mmCIF file of all heavy atoms in Angstrom:
data_model
loop_
_atom_site.group_PDB
_atom_site.id
_atom_site.type_symbol
_atom_site.label_atom_id
_atom_site.label_comp_id
_atom_site.label_asym_id
_atom_site.label_seq_id
_atom_site.Cartn_x
_atom_site.Cartn_y
_atom_site.Cartn_z
ATOM 1 N N LYS A 1 94.137 -6.710 74.770
ATOM 2 C CA LYS A 1 93.832 -7.229 73.437
ATOM 3 C C LYS A 1 95.011 -8.064 72.979
ATOM 4 O O LYS A 1 96.081 -8.032 73.572
ATOM 5 C CB LYS A 1 93.645 -6.081 72.440
ATOM 6 C CG LYS A 1 92.417 -5.257 72.648
ATOM 7 C CD LYS A 1 92.297 -4.244 71.539
ATOM 8 C CE LYS A 1 91.037 -3.428 71.682
ATOM 9 N NZ LYS A 1 90.866 -2.506 70.559
ATOM 10 N N THR A 2 94.822 -8.753 71.868
ATOM 11 C CA THR A 2 95.895 -9.513 71.252
ATOM 12 C C THR A 2 96.329 -8.782 69.984
ATOM 13 O O THR A 2 95.494 -8.366 69.183
ATOM 14 C CB THR A 2 95.411 -10.932 70.890
ATOM 15 O OG1 THR A 2 94.927 -11.552 72.074
ATOM 16 C CG2 THR A 2 96.533 -11.762 70.315
ATOM 17 N N CYS A 3 97.627 -8.629 69.801
ATOM 18 C CA CYS A 3 98.179 -7.931 68.642
ATOM 19 C C CYS A 3 97.861 -8.697 67.366
ATOM 20 O O CYS A 3 98.000 -9.922 67.313
ATOM 21 C CB CYS A 3 99.688 -7.782 68.800
ATOM 22 S SG CYS A 3 100.489 -6.961 67.415
ATOM 23 N N ALA A 4 97.431 -7.972 66.326
ATOM 24 C CA ALA A 4 97.066 -8.586 65.052
ATOM 25 C C ALA A 4 98.274 -9.125 64.293
ATOM 26 O O ALA A 4 98.134 -9.981 63.431
ATOM 27 C CB ALA A 4 96.323 -7.573 64.188
ATOM 28 N N THR A 5 99.478 -8.645 64.608
ATOM 29 C CA THR A 5 100.678 -9.075 63.889
ATOM 30 C C THR A 5 101.430 -10.183 64.628
ATOM 31 O O THR A 5 101.639 -11.258 64.088
ATOM 32 C CB THR A 5 101.636 -7.889 63.676
ATOM 33 O OG1 THR A 5 100.946 -6.880 62.958
ATOM 34 C CG2 THR A 5 102.862 -8.299 62.895
ATOM 35 N N CYS A 6 101.800 -9.916 65.877
ATOM 36 C CA CYS A 6 102.639 -10.872 66.604
ATOM 37 C C CYS A 6 101.848 -11.847 67.479
ATOM 38 O O CYS A 6 102.382 -12.861 67.907
ATOM 39 C CB CYS A 6 103.671 -10.136 67.443
ATOM 40 S SG CYS A 6 102.989 -9.186 68.822
ATOM 41 N N GLY A 7 100.587 -11.539 67.766
ATOM 42 C CA GLY A 7 99.756 -12.440 68.557
ATOM 43 C C GLY A 7 99.953 -12.337 70.052
ATOM 44 O O GLY A 7 99.355 -13.094 70.808
ATOM 45 N N ARG A 8 100.779 -11.412 70.502
ATOM 46 C CA ARG A 8 101.010 -11.240 71.939
ATOM 47 C C ARG A 8 99.936 -10.354 72.557
ATOM 48 O O ARG A 8 99.445 -9.440 71.913
ATOM 49 C CB ARG A 8 102.366 -10.592 72.183
ATOM 50 C CG ARG A 8 103.514 -11.451 71.785
ATOM 51 C CD ARG A 8 104.806 -10.726 72.050
ATOM 52 N NE ARG A 8 105.935 -11.548 71.672
ATOM 53 C CZ ARG A 8 107.162 -11.101 71.555
ATOM 54 N NH1 ARG A 8 107.443 -9.832 71.753
ATOM 55 N NH2 ARG A 8 108.134 -11.908 71.221
ATOM 56 N N PRO A 9 99.593 -10.615 73.813
ATOM 57 C CA PRO A 9 98.620 -9.748 74.477
ATOM 58 C C PRO A 9 99.272 -8.427 74.883
ATOM 59 O O PRO A 9 100.464 -8.384 75.204
ATOM 60 C CB PRO A 9 98.211 -10.552 75.711
ATOM 61 C CG PRO A 9 99.347 -11.470 75.967
ATOM 62 C CD PRO A 9 99.985 -11.751 74.636
ATOM 63 N N PHE A 10 98.490 -7.349 74.830
ATOM 64 C CA PHE A 10 98.972 -6.056 75.307
ATOM 65 C C PHE A 10 97.855 -5.364 76.062
ATOM 66 O O PHE A 10 96.681 -5.583 75.791
ATOM 67 C CB PHE A 10 99.505 -5.186 74.162
ATOM 68 C CG PHE A 10 98.494 -4.821 73.106
ATOM 69 C CD1 PHE A 10 97.836 -3.603 73.161
ATOM 70 C CD2 PHE A 10 98.216 -5.676 72.062
ATOM 71 C CE1 PHE A 10 96.916 -3.258 72.187
ATOM 72 C CE2 PHE A 10 97.305 -5.336 71.087
ATOM 73 C CZ PHE A 10 96.643 -4.126 71.150
ATOM 74 N N ALA A 11 98.239 -4.536 77.034
ATOM 75 C CA ALA A 11 97.278 -3.894 77.930
ATOM 76 C C ALA A 11 96.949 -2.476 77.484
ATOM 77 O O ALA A 11 97.702 -1.845 76.739
ATOM 78 C CB ALA A 11 97.841 -3.874 79.348
ATOM 79 N N TRP A 12 95.817 -2.003 77.950
ATOM 80 C CA TRP A 12 95.336 -0.641 77.708
ATOM 81 C C TRP A 12 96.361 0.374 78.193
ATOM 82 O O TRP A 12 97.024 0.164 79.197
ATOM 83 C CB TRP A 12 94.034 -0.467 78.473
ATOM 84 C CG TRP A 12 93.374 0.850 78.355
ATOM 85 C CD1 TRP A 12 92.466 1.219 77.438
ATOM 86 C CD2 TRP A 12 93.536 1.984 79.217
ATOM 87 N NE1 TRP A 12 92.044 2.496 77.654
ATOM 88 C CE2 TRP A 12 92.697 3.000 78.753
ATOM 89 C CE3 TRP A 12 94.315 2.237 80.344
ATOM 90 C CZ2 TRP A 12 92.604 4.241 79.351
ATOM 91 C CZ3 TRP A 12 94.230 3.469 80.942
ATOM 92 C CH2 TRP A 12 93.389 4.443 80.443
ATOM 93 N N ARG A 13 96.509 1.460 77.449
ATOM 94 C CA ARG A 13 97.379 2.574 77.851
ATOM 95 C C ARG A 13 96.563 3.850 77.862
ATOM 96 O O ARG A 13 95.624 3.997 77.081
ATOM 97 C CB ARG A 13 98.533 2.748 76.867
ATOM 98 C CG ARG A 13 99.474 1.582 76.847
ATOM 99 C CD ARG A 13 100.610 1.878 75.899
ATOM 100 N NE ARG A 13 101.449 0.705 75.721
ATOM 101 C CZ ARG A 13 102.443 0.645 74.876
ATOM 102 N NH1 ARG A 13 102.722 1.676 74.098
ATOM 103 N NH2 ARG A 13 103.163 -0.432 74.770
ATOM 104 N N LYS A 14 96.939 4.770 78.702
ATOM 105 C CA LYS A 14 96.189 6.018 78.831
ATOM 106 C C LYS A 14 96.125 6.778 77.501
ATOM 107 O O LYS A 14 95.105 7.362 77.157
ATOM 108 C CB LYS A 14 96.815 6.900 79.909
ATOM 109 C CG LYS A 14 95.988 8.117 80.223
ATOM 110 C CD LYS A 14 96.546 8.886 81.393
ATOM 111 C CE LYS A 14 95.669 10.073 81.703
ATOM 112 N NZ LYS A 14 96.167 10.814 82.861
ATOM 113 N N LYS A 15 97.203 6.746 76.717
ATOM 114 C CA LYS A 15 97.210 7.472 75.447
ATOM 115 C C LYS A 15 96.244 6.863 74.432
ATOM 116 O O LYS A 15 95.890 7.498 73.450
ATOM 117 C CB LYS A 15 98.617 7.561 74.863
ATOM 118 C CG LYS A 15 99.187 6.257 74.356
ATOM 119 C CD LYS A 15 100.566 6.486 73.778
ATOM 120 C CE LYS A 15 101.139 5.233 73.178
ATOM 121 N NZ LYS A 15 102.443 5.495 72.589
ATOM 122 N N TRP A 16 95.784 5.627 74.662
ATOM 123 C CA TRP A 16 94.823 4.982 73.791
ATOM 124 C C TRP A 16 93.389 5.108 74.302
ATOM 125 O O TRP A 16 92.478 4.499 73.741
ATOM 126 C CB TRP A 16 95.143 3.499 73.649
ATOM 127 C CG TRP A 16 96.408 3.188 72.917
ATOM 128 C CD1 TRP A 16 97.021 3.942 71.961
ATOM 129 C CD2 TRP A 16 97.204 2.013 73.059
ATOM 130 N NE1 TRP A 16 98.142 3.314 71.499
ATOM 131 C CE2 TRP A 16 98.284 2.126 72.160
ATOM 132 C CE3 TRP A 16 97.120 0.880 73.855
ATOM 133 C CZ2 TRP A 16 99.248 1.137 72.034
ATOM 134 C CZ3 TRP A 16 98.085 -0.097 73.734
ATOM 135 C CH2 TRP A 16 99.138 0.035 72.831
ATOM 136 N N ALA A 17 93.158 5.894 75.320
ATOM 137 C CA ALA A 17 91.841 5.969 75.964
ATOM 138 C C ALA A 17 90.724 6.310 74.982
ATOM 139 O O ALA A 17 89.664 5.696 75.012
ATOM 140 C CB ALA A 17 91.876 6.972 77.103
ATOM 141 N N LYS A 18 90.948 7.259 74.098
ATOM 142 C CA LYS A 18 89.897 7.708 73.181
ATOM 143 C C LYS A 18 89.741 6.818 71.962
ATOM 144 O O LYS A 18 88.710 6.840 71.306
ATOM 145 C CB LYS A 18 90.172 9.138 72.729
ATOM 146 C CG LYS A 18 90.081 10.129 73.866
ATOM 147 C CD LYS A 18 90.352 11.535 73.394
ATOM 148 C CE LYS A 18 90.320 12.507 74.557
ATOM 149 N NZ LYS A 18 90.660 13.863 74.128
ATOM 150 N N VAL A 19 90.773 6.039 71.629
ATOM 151 C CA VAL A 19 90.739 5.230 70.406
ATOM 152 C C VAL A 19 90.935 3.729 70.679
ATOM 153 O O VAL A 19 91.335 2.985 69.785
ATOM 154 C CB VAL A 19 91.806 5.720 69.394
ATOM 155 C CG1 VAL A 19 91.486 7.101 68.878
ATOM 156 C CG2 VAL A 19 93.194 5.678 70.002
ATOM 157 N N TRP A 20 90.634 3.272 71.871
ATOM 158 C CA TRP A 20 90.892 1.888 72.255
ATOM 159 C C TRP A 20 90.220 0.892 71.303
ATOM 160 O O TRP A 20 90.772 -0.161 70.987
ATOM 161 C CB TRP A 20 90.453 1.643 73.694
ATOM 162 C CG TRP A 20 90.652 0.237 74.152
ATOM 163 C CD1 TRP A 20 89.692 -0.639 74.526
ATOM 164 C CD2 TRP A 20 91.905 -0.474 74.289
ATOM 165 N NE1 TRP A 20 90.248 -1.839 74.894
ATOM 166 C CE2 TRP A 20 91.608 -1.766 74.757
ATOM 167 C CE3 TRP A 20 93.230 -0.144 74.060
ATOM 168 C CZ2 TRP A 20 92.586 -2.727 74.996
ATOM 169 C CZ3 TRP A 20 94.206 -1.111 74.306
ATOM 170 C CH2 TRP A 20 93.883 -2.377 74.765
ATOM 171 N N ASP A 21 89.040 1.204 70.802
ATOM 172 C CA ASP A 21 88.341 0.298 69.889
ATOM 173 C C ASP A 21 89.066 0.153 68.555
ATOM 174 O O ASP A 21 88.900 -0.852 67.866
ATOM 175 C CB ASP A 21 86.918 0.786 69.634
ATOM 176 C CG ASP A 21 86.067 0.717 70.884
ATOM 177 O OD1 ASP A 21 86.358 -0.131 71.751
ATOM 178 O OD2 ASP A 21 85.115 1.502 70.994
ATOM 179 N N GLU A 22 89.875 1.131 68.179
ATOM 180 C CA GLU A 22 90.578 1.115 66.897
ATOM 181 C C GLU A 22 91.991 0.535 66.987
ATOM 182 O O GLU A 22 92.595 0.249 65.957
ATOM 183 C CB GLU A 22 90.658 2.534 66.349
ATOM 184 C CG GLU A 22 89.297 3.160 66.122
ATOM 185 C CD GLU A 22 89.378 4.641 65.858
ATOM 186 O OE1 GLU A 22 90.478 5.138 65.542
ATOM 187 O OE2 GLU A 22 88.340 5.305 65.971
ATOM 188 N N VAL A 23 92.522 0.382 68.191
ATOM 189 C CA VAL A 23 93.893 -0.111 68.369
ATOM 190 C C VAL A 23 93.948 -1.592 68.009
ATOM 191 O O VAL A 23 93.164 -2.394 68.507
ATOM 192 C CB VAL A 23 94.360 0.106 69.835
ATOM 193 C CG1 VAL A 23 95.732 -0.501 70.059
ATOM 194 C CG2 VAL A 23 94.377 1.572 70.175
ATOM 195 N N ARG A 24 94.891 -1.953 67.108
ATOM 196 C CA ARG A 24 95.039 -3.339 66.662
ATOM 197 C C ARG A 24 96.432 -3.907 66.924
ATOM 198 O O ARG A 24 96.612 -5.118 66.952
ATOM 199 C CB ARG A 24 94.757 -3.439 65.169
ATOM 200 C CG ARG A 24 93.319 -3.100 64.823
ATOM 201 C CD ARG A 24 93.041 -3.255 63.357
ATOM 202 N NE ARG A 24 93.342 -4.620 62.931
ATOM 203 C CZ ARG A 24 93.710 -4.949 61.696
ATOM 204 N NH1 ARG A 24 93.829 -4.035 60.770
ATOM 205 N NH2 ARG A 24 93.970 -6.194 61.390
ATOM 206 N N TYR A 25 97.429 -3.034 67.043
ATOM 207 C CA TYR A 25 98.816 -3.485 67.154
ATOM 208 C C TYR A 25 99.422 -3.043 68.486
ATOM 209 O O TYR A 25 99.108 -1.977 69.000
ATOM 210 C CB TYR A 25 99.639 -2.922 65.998
ATOM 211 C CG TYR A 25 99.029 -3.212 64.655
ATOM 212 C CD1 TYR A 25 98.391 -2.231 63.916
ATOM 213 C CD2 TYR A 25 99.078 -4.497 64.126
ATOM 214 C CE1 TYR A 25 97.818 -2.507 62.688
ATOM 215 C CE2 TYR A 25 98.506 -4.793 62.901
ATOM 216 C CZ TYR A 25 97.878 -3.795 62.192
ATOM 217 O OH TYR A 25 97.309 -4.078 60.986
ATOM 218 N N CYS A 26 100.356 -3.830 68.997
ATOM 219 C CA CYS A 26 100.963 -3.546 70.297
ATOM 220 C C CYS A 26 102.057 -2.484 70.207
ATOM 221 O O CYS A 26 102.386 -1.859 71.214
ATOM 222 C CB CYS A 26 101.523 -4.821 70.909
ATOM 223 S SG CYS A 26 102.859 -5.595 69.972
ATOM 224 N N SER A 27 102.612 -2.269 69.010
ATOM 225 C CA SER A 27 103.717 -1.324 68.871
ATOM 226 C C SER A 27 103.801 -0.785 67.451
ATOM 227 O O SER A 27 103.154 -1.299 66.537
ATOM 228 C CB SER A 27 105.042 -2.020 69.214
ATOM 229 O OG SER A 27 105.299 -3.040 68.278
ATOM 230 N N ASP A 28 104.632 0.229 67.273
ATOM 231 C CA ASP A 28 104.882 0.779 65.941
ATOM 232 C C ASP A 28 105.562 -0.259 65.047
ATOM 233 O O ASP A 28 105.333 -0.309 63.846
ATOM 234 C CB ASP A 28 105.750 2.031 66.022
ATOM 235 C CG ASP A 28 105.007 3.215 66.612
ATOM 236 O OD1 ASP A 28 103.764 3.237 66.536
ATOM 237 O OD2 ASP A 28 105.679 4.111 67.142
ATOM 238 N N ARG A 29 106.402 -1.077 65.636
ATOM 239 C CA ARG A 29 107.100 -2.108 64.863
ATOM 240 C C ARG A 29 106.103 -3.102 64.260
ATOM 241 O O ARG A 29 106.193 -3.444 63.071
ATOM 242 C CB ARG A 29 108.084 -2.837 65.764
ATOM 243 C CG ARG A 29 108.851 -3.907 65.048
ATOM 244 C CD ARG A 29 109.830 -4.565 65.980
ATOM 245 N NE ARG A 29 110.564 -5.602 65.264
ATOM 246 C CZ ARG A 29 111.372 -6.455 65.836
ATOM 247 N NH1 ARG A 29 111.597 -6.396 67.131
ATOM 248 N NH2 ARG A 29 111.995 -7.373 65.146
ATOM 249 N N CYS A 30 105.147 -3.552 65.049
ATOM 250 C CA CYS A 30 104.142 -4.487 64.536
ATOM 251 C C CYS A 30 103.256 -3.818 63.490
ATOM 252 O O CYS A 30 102.885 -4.443 62.502
ATOM 253 C CB CYS A 30 103.286 -5.035 65.672
ATOM 254 S SG CYS A 30 104.114 -6.323 66.606
ATOM 255 N N ARG A 31 102.919 -2.570 63.680
ATOM 256 C CA ARG A 31 102.111 -1.859 62.698
ATOM 257 C C ARG A 31 102.872 -1.740 61.378
ATOM 258 O O ARG A 31 102.310 -1.927 60.310
ATOM 259 C CB ARG A 31 101.727 -0.479 63.221
ATOM 260 C CG ARG A 31 100.768 0.249 62.297
ATOM 261 C CD ARG A 31 100.312 1.547 62.870
ATOM 262 N NE ARG A 31 101.456 2.375 63.199
ATOM 263 C CZ ARG A 31 101.453 3.306 64.134
ATOM 264 N NH1 ARG A 31 100.384 3.528 64.842
ATOM 265 N NH2 ARG A 31 102.534 4.015 64.367
ATOM 266 N N GLY A 32 104.172 -1.471 61.446
ATOM 267 C CA GLY A 32 104.994 -1.367 60.242
ATOM 268 C C GLY A 32 105.142 -2.689 59.531
ATOM 269 O O GLY A 32 105.131 -2.753 58.303
ATOM 270 N N GLN A 33 105.265 -3.780 60.274
ATOM 271 C CA GLN A 33 105.387 -5.098 59.662
ATOM 272 C C GLN A 33 104.091 -5.511 58.983
ATOM 273 O O GLN A 33 104.103 -6.195 57.972
ATOM 274 C CB GLN A 33 105.773 -6.143 60.703
ATOM 275 C CG GLN A 33 107.216 -6.062 61.110
ATOM 276 C CD GLN A 33 107.584 -7.124 62.133
ATOM 277 O OE1 GLN A 33 106.722 -7.731 62.751
ATOM 278 N NE2 GLN A 33 108.872 -7.317 62.323
#
C-alpha cells in the first residue's frame, strides 16, 4: 500500500494480517504526524 502521510509504499507484515484493510500508515511516526 501507499502511506497516507508520507506517500511511500510499504509491504504487508505478519502482525497486520488480521487488520490489513484498516492499515493506512507505514509507521508510528507517520500515524503521529
